[in-house]
DNA sequence: TATGAATGAGACTTCATTCAT
DNA sequence: AATGAATGAAGTCTCATTCAT
């Protein structure tokens, strides 16, 4: 603090961040194979060999990117208090929140989906990591649904969770393809409502009584 | 067996097919950058230089793959008579049909989605082609919905179509990730039902009357 | 004549010309290695394999180009009666004539010089041919000089001939490099005058007498 | 012998030189297209990929060769004091000097002329560089002539300079083609004399007086 | 007389990675 | 904590040429 550190003095943490920043951007745009160490090096300004000082290999780098992106994304999503309001309102609010975070930082999910779709003989660790963190999200959604609709039986809950996640993924793709024409927030809210109705219906079926209307 | 083909009898059409066959498989598993001409050459048995006789370059090859795959997929999907039955039944039947075709030949959509997600400076022609043929599908879905629910206004129709396509994409991804655990046919049918109900609801809102129940 | 030959009916002679035309142009611009059979094929519209029907191989093709170009160039140059007028006028007239032909069809000499400058282990036949036809020109110049200055002794004649040819080559290069700014005709005329004066001087030295001035 | 260098001690500067050395030799013999990176790699002992560490691409490599060769050549030519002696003697001395340097290191001019003669759609940077450095030489000749013949008017000076350079190029080509039979030094001296006489004549014409004789 | 298709060699270039400093 | 230099493998694509029709 007293000695105003000579900028550019070797700073491991900052270099690591710069590398990761460059990598999300490139990998988020071009996928695993499309991401070359040389391109990352060019974008972050550090020589390729420095990247290997921070990361074991390309696989490791991509995996680290997925990890860090997920954490960033998670904190962006979880800020708002989850507990308040009526069920439907809570669900649409959360959906809107997630939609916003995806619009702001689409690289994470874009890269993740690209990795997820690939089917190569030796699976990149980044893919594994993505599928793991994605499973965390999935579990959280399942818990939420179960909290709101305690009567749902296990298979229905699983199906509904799958459907929820699928809708999110699909709508995200839609926006990536069609661009800003697509109002992701509105679509996510609609998706939340549809899931809500389906859950209510299934719930009703499981525990009888309750007339029409919602 | 009778004809013992004098090895290497030039046959352009068949070679072209063999190249395309090899390419769908590889590109469907590894995406654009992951598809090396050498790998295609190894899989189809023709030397790399022969591939360049049939296709201008890699871009051209991938684009051709998308084109042919779409046509194949389309004929596989469209066979069943579209006209019969009650609206809901027709929709679920179609959904099931599409789901089946995707389970049988997932390469087309997998590759297409990978291409669609990429955002590289110079867009591969394959991506453009995929987005075009995808738009054809989209229009067909819109027409179907409009046929079944003539009261839907334009914005609702557009939103619903987007939602329908998104659900299909998302569920497909889900299955790609989770494997055979996911019953794609059942999920597509469920999706069809949910879209149906939403369409009915929106339709009812547009032209009043009609009580609860379906 | 009666039967207006269906254009495009297989015509060996014409095809050969088309191939040669395409080749002069390309080889004149890019040299031996820079001339690919594919490029020639593209420019003349015939498939590569057809080129091999007319010419044994690339070497043969280039050599044929040199041969034909030289003949064309020679007839263009030799038309005017060589015999008329005073010595100096005859020389400048010829020089101007040659300059004009080089401006009109520079491909021959450009390609020839490129070939001549190369020094590859296995010399292209085109180079040999060029050096041969070039020697014909050289001999003709020597004869001309000897005709005009019979007193020149053999070594002087050789040197003067070399100098004459060198000047022509060099001025041609100059024009190729600087473009139309260079008035090749004027420079060739000047070159002719300088050679003339030098020849006169050397001639005078060999056989004494003859006052100052020309 | 004492230091037995632990093979493969990274040394950028020396490697760069080795690559350039190999390239002049090959490119000077076979031109731009005839120079393959593989051949350079074989001649200099470094793998092809290492060449790309030092040079962006083939174009860059050839351009660097031209630059370095010109500098080398320039220092070889300029050593002798330019100022001494009578005009004609100074000119012939310089000419002889240049001739000697060209006999010793013909690669530079040979490659340069090959590049200069080519006319490809996208001009190699090496060609541009050659034409630039060549223009420096041209200017120097013009200055020399003007210094010796201050009465020459601008157009005459330009023409004479062009003629001087052209003669040098042409004689060089002559020697390249005919081999050691051609005494380049003698021819260059003769060229210098002829240019001198022409300059004197033109100079005399510009500022009258002075009888016949030389 | 011509050509569609094929082919191995080799072109240029980029890749991921390592190593000595 | 970092980097200049090197490297073998692999990338895309073009080469000259052949062959069956």
């Amino acid at each position: 603090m007293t000695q105003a550190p000579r900028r550019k003095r070797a700073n491991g943490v900052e270099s690591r961040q710069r590398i990761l920043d460059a990598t999300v951007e490139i990998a988020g745009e071009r996928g695993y194979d499309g991401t070359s160490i040389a391109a990352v090096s060019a974008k972050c300004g550090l020589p390729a060999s420095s990247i290997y000082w921070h990361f074991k290999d390309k696989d490791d780098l991509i995996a680290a990117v997925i990890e860090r992106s997920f954490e960033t994304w998670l904190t962006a999503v979880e800020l708002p208090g989850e507990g308040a309001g009526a069920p439907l309102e809570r669900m649409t609010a959360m959906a809107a929140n997630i939609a916003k975070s995806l619009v702001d930082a689409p690289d994470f999910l874009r890269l993740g989906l690209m990795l997820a779709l690939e089917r190569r003989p030796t699976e990149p660790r980044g893919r594994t990591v993505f599928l793991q963190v994605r499973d965390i999200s999935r579990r959280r959604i399942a818990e939420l649904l179960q909290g709101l609709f305690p009567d749902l039986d296990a298979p229905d809950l699983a199906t509904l969770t799958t459907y929820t996640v699928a809708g999110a993924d699909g709508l995200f793709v839609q926006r990536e393809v069609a661009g800003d024409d697509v109002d992701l927030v509105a679509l996510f809210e609609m998706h939340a409502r549809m899931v809500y109705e389906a859950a209510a219906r299934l719930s009703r079926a499981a525990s009888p009584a309750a007339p029409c209307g919602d």
Side-chain angles (χ1 to χ4, degrees), chain A:
Chain A
M1 207 182 251
T2 42
Q3 182 240 354
R6 280 233 277 24
R7 283 233 70 202
K8 227 80 248 189
R9 128 128 148 309
N11 180 338
V13 179
E14 196 214 304
S15 291
R16 210 187 130 95
Q17 297 306 324
R18 265 167 56 199
I19 296 168
L20 287 173
D21 290 343
T23 311
V24 223
E25 217 172 314
I26 295 175
E29 283 171 358
R30 337 203 16 167
Y32 188 93
D33 284 300
T35 302
S36 78
I37 300 294
V40 173
S41 156
K43 173 152 280 181
C44 73
L46 293 166
S49 47
S50 293
I51 296 176
Y52 280 86
W53 194 90
H54 290 280
F55 303 93
K56 191 180 143 304
D57 57 16
K58 184 174 158 176
D59 222 43
D60 192 35
L61 171 59
I62 300 279
V65 158
I66 292 283
E67 266 157 12
R68 196 192 63 159
S69 301
F70 179 66
E71 279 156 30
T72 312
W73 180 76
L74 211 56
T75 58
V77 161
E78 289 196 326
L79 292 179
E82 287 189 18
L88 180 54
E89 274 69 46
R90 281 177 57 201
M91 278 181 66
T92 52
M94 280 192 61
N97 202 33
I98 292 175
K100 263 177 239 142
S101 75
L102 289 177
V103 169
D104 288 349
D107 285 322
F108 166 58
L109 188 52
R110 204 185 310 121
L111 169 57
L113 288 177
M114 283 192 265
L115 287 172
L117 284 167
E118 283 176 10
R119 269 189 163 3
R120 59 187 74 205
T122 88
E123 153 162 355
R125 201 157 68 76
R127 190 180 120 110
T128 319
V129 172
F130 175 72
L131 295 184
Q132 280 164 0
V133 302
R134 181 188 175 76
D135 220 52
I136 298 177
S137 308
R138 192 195 146 87
R139 258 198 301 276
R140 232 166 265 205
I141 290 174
E143 285 160 16
L144 176 73
L145 285 173
Q146 183 135 53
L148 295 178
F149 303 94
D151 295 333
L152 281 175
D153 62 8
D156 280 351
L157 181 64
T159 304
L160 218 50
T161 308
T162 295
Y163 189 76
T164 307
V165 175
D169 288 344
L171 291 169
F172 173 77
V173 170
Q174 214 68 17
R175 195 199 126 92
E176 286 301 305
V177 162
D180 298 330
D181 300 353
V182 173
D183 181 347
L184 198 64
V185 174
L187 284 168
F188 264 58
E189 285 173 340
M190 171 186 168
H191 183 43
R193 272 194 301 278
M194 295 194 60
V195 169
Y196 177 87
E197 311 239 332
R201 229 176 298 135
L202 288 166
S203 211
R204 225 179 298 138
S207 66
C212 102
D214 39 313

